[in-house]
Amino acid sequence: MRKPAECETMGHIRAEIDRLDEDLVRLLAERAGYIDRAAEIKAKVDLPARIDDRVEQVVQNVRRHAGHYGLPPDLVEKLWRRLIDWSIAREENRLGPDTLRKG
């Protein structure tokens, strides 16, 4: 692992980006495992996949993290809203449509 300032060639840069991309995919897969477990728990207590208050809490958390790490909060929010929508769709595949749940 090299820090950006330690990279002296494009090969170094590409290798580090590829390493980080693999890490990001691994973390997304780990997150999906938690989403799957959430669907199991929600099914037992008849909760919907989408809980708007929680969606907004997650968005505010990632906006704060983005600012802390020097990334544009608006861009990170857009990315996360896509991730949240994908996660909710994943839950709905297991739970059935939210219109059939209490909320």
Side-chain angles (χ1 to χ4, degrees), residues 5-79:
E6 296 169 349
C7 293
E8 297 178 2
T9 68
M10 285 305 298
H12 292 164
I13 296 286
R14 290 178 181 138
E16 292 307 315
I17 288 172
D18 290 347
R19 178 186 60 77
L20 287 168
D21 287 348
E22 182 179 356
D23 288 347
L24 289 168
V25 170
R26 178 185 49 76
L27 289 169
L28 288 170
E30 182 179 344
R31 189 181 194 283
Y34 287 101
I35 296 302
D36 294 346
R37 182 64 180 138
E40 292 170 3
I41 293 170
K42 287 177 177 182
K44 290 178 184 177
V45 295
D46 204 30
L47 285 174
R50 177 179 291 278
I51 300 172
D52 289 329
D53 290 347
R54 178 60 182 152
V55 168
E56 295 311 312
Q57 182 184 34
V58 169
V59 168
Q60 290 310 308
N61 285 341
V62 297
R63 286 184 65 85
R64 187 178 69 254
H65 295 315
H68 175 80
Y69 289 106
L71 294 173
D74 290 344
L75 173 62
V76 172
E77 177 179 342
K78 286 178 186 175
L79 289 169

